[in-house]
Amino acid sequence: MNIAVFSLTENGRQLSARTADVLCSEHKVSRYCFHKHTDDNSAVFWNMGSMVGRLFERSDAFIFVCACGIAVRAVAPLLGTKADDPAVIVMDDSGNFVIPVLSGHIGGANRLAEIIAEALGSTAVITTATDTGGRFSPDSFAVANGLIITDLTAAKEIASDVLDDKKIGFFSEYDHGGLPDELTEFGVCRSGIYVGDSKDIKPFDVTLQLIPKNIVLGIGCKRGSSSEVIGSTVREILAEAGIDIARIREAATIELKADEAGLLEFCGSIDVPLRFCTAEELMSIKGDFEASDFVLETTGADNVCERSAVFCSGGKLVLHKRAREGVTVAAAEIPVYLDFERKVL
């Protein structure tokens, strides 16, 4: 996560430094201190609202060491939807309380607050109803397991049913651990969760579909292919195969393409990391791949897109090689195991 920590006072500055130390081993943490109380390891600001505005689009979480009202006013003009807003956490100047105020489930603010509080000896003040009652949260479950929430209204309705002690149905195309008490795979339920990518399966009157974000896109292209050509080709092929582009977790190709500007630009435009594989790594994968003598002679691997997808996913192909406009595309699915005990962060 990209985390921005803001402080206003001297106590706040010291607390922001301790907070950054807690989080920096697993996250990218940047500190921003009011100009009267700063240090060499922080950036300086004079106007908090302006600085937050500059950072908002590229930050996954904001931690404010200040009054709640100041933090709320800083982020309020920038807020969008529950699915897109970053986590927002407020800490008091003395470090007694860590309060998630926005995006507790989807953004991970609740779990982040718990981690900070445990490390600093503070109290995490969790206010979301499912958490305070120790109940199942569809939002938290989805985010922790890398699942795309397709319908926030359905998710809210299921959370409401949980709080009303109604049984929630569960149907999954993937292996999973034991269900929490609120869920059942048996009987008739009004509302429930379906984990899978079929648009035709709706087992319940209110069905929340959760789709795994577990596709590795194997890709190759002729030298000099533009980002626009690569992007339009990938989208067209995925649409034909019935694969939502939002499911892509990673793209993969051969290391010879490490300087391919169009490929790098395309992956950046969909916010997907691009992983590079050696020819030896690709040829080490066993399987039935569409081999090309020309590609083997040129790259050292007889197939780039299929082999890179399988190599980086550790799974199986769900889309075999398709070629168009000088672009080759394949896709493989990362194995999924649903763990109801897994935490968001």
Side-chain angles (χ1 to χ4, degrees):
M1 295 179 72
N2 289 319
I3 302 175
V5 185
F6 281 80
S7 63
L8 292 171
T9 66
E10 178 57 25
N11 282 346
R13 182 195 67 78
Q14 296 178 32
L15 192 56
S16 75
R18 292 172 59 199
T19 301
D21 288 342
V22 169
L23 301 173
C24 66
S25 63
E26 296 187 15
H27 306 284
K28 181 180 179 181
V29 183
S30 302
R31 294 172 53 233
Y32 301 88
C33 298
F34 188 55
H35 68 95
K36 291 183 179 180
H37 304 283
T38 188
D39 56 52
D40 293 338
N41 295 316
S42 66
V44 180
F45 69 86
W46 276 259
N47 184 292
M48 181 182 287
S50 295
M51 182 63 78
V52 170
R54 290 166 55 186
L55 300 171
F56 196 80
E57 291 297 327
R58 62 176 185 264
S59 298
D60 300 306
F62 287 90
I63 300 173
F64 296 95
V65 188
C66 63
C68 275
I70 296 174
V72 169
R73 291 181 186 281
V75 300
L78 306 165
L79 300 181
T81 68
K82 179 179 178 179
D84 301 319
D85 287 335
V88 176
I89 292 171
V90 174
M91 302 172 63
D92 67 284
D93 201 58
S94 299
N96 293 319
F97 302 104
V98 186
I99 311 166
V101 297
L102 189 68
S103 204
H105 290 151
I106 296 177
N110 287 358
R111 181 59 184 153
L112 192 59
E114 290 172 343
I115 292 171
I116 297 169
E118 182 177 356
L120 300 184
S122 307
T123 299
V125 183
I126 310 296
T127 59
T128 44
T130 50
D131 294 277
T132 57
R135 311 296 292 274
F136 170 77
S137 163
D139 294 0
S140 294
F141 166 71
V143 175
N145 284 275
L147 306 173
I148 301 168
I149 300 173
T150 62
D151 187 341
L152 287 173
T153 300
K156 183 178 180 180
E157 191 161 349
I158 286 174
S160 178
D161 283 351
V162 168
L163 295 174
D164 288 339
D165 293 321
K166 297 178 182 177
K167 278 291 185 181
I168 306 301
F170 185 78
F171 175 65
S172 174
E173 296 181 3
Y174 301 89
D175 292 338
H176 58 82
L179 300 183
D181 292 340
E182 295 89 344
L183 304 185
T184 180
E185 293 181 281
F186 307 101
V188 178
C189 299
R190 186 191 72 88
S191 63
I193 294 169
Y194 161 58
V195 183
D197 65 347
S198 174
K199 295 180 180 179
D200 298 324
I201 297 178
K202 295 184 179 180
F204 316 100
D205 291 340
V206 177
T207 298
L208 170 60
Q209 183 179 13
L210 302 176
I211 303 175
K213 188 180 180 70
N214 68 329
I215 294 295
V216 174
L217 181 74
I219 189 166
C221 64
K222 68 179 182 182
R223 181 63 66 181
S225 296
S226 69
S227 172
E228 292 76 18
V229 168
I230 294 171
S232 61
T233 302
V234 168
R235 288 181 172 85
E236 187 177 275
I237 290 174
L238 291 181
E240 291 171 357
I243 299 174
D244 191 333
I245 196 170
R247 293 187 62 196
I248 298 175
R249 183 186 294 185
E250 183 178 58
T253 191
I254 196 165
E255 63 179 0
L256 291 174
K257 296 294 181 181
D259 63 346
E260 194 67 58
L263 194 54
L264 294 167
E265 184 179 339
F266 163 68
C267 291
S269 71
I270 61 173
D271 195 26
V272 167
L274 178 59
R275 183 172 167 185
F276 301 102
C277 310
T278 66
E280 292 75 19
E281 287 173 331
L282 296 184
M283 291 301 291
S284 71
I285 295 296
K286 305 298 182 183
D288 183 18
F289 302 108
E290 183 181 322
S292 165
D293 291 336
F294 173 76
V295 174
L296 178 62
E297 182 179 347
T298 305
T299 69
D302 61 7
N303 182 302
V304 170
C305 62
E306 290 183 347
R307 287 185 176 275
S308 59
V310 172
F311 179 79
C312 293
S313 69
K316 63 181 181 180
L317 283 173
V318 292
L319 172 64
H320 288 269
K321 175 183 174 181
R322 296 191 187 180
R324 202 169 298 168
E325 300 289 335
V327 179
T328 58
V329 175
E333 192 173 33
I334 299 169
V336 171
Y337 179 80
L338 304 174
D339 184 353
F340 291 91
E341 299 297 324
R342 188 177 291 143
K343 300 297 184 181
V344 172
L345 297 176

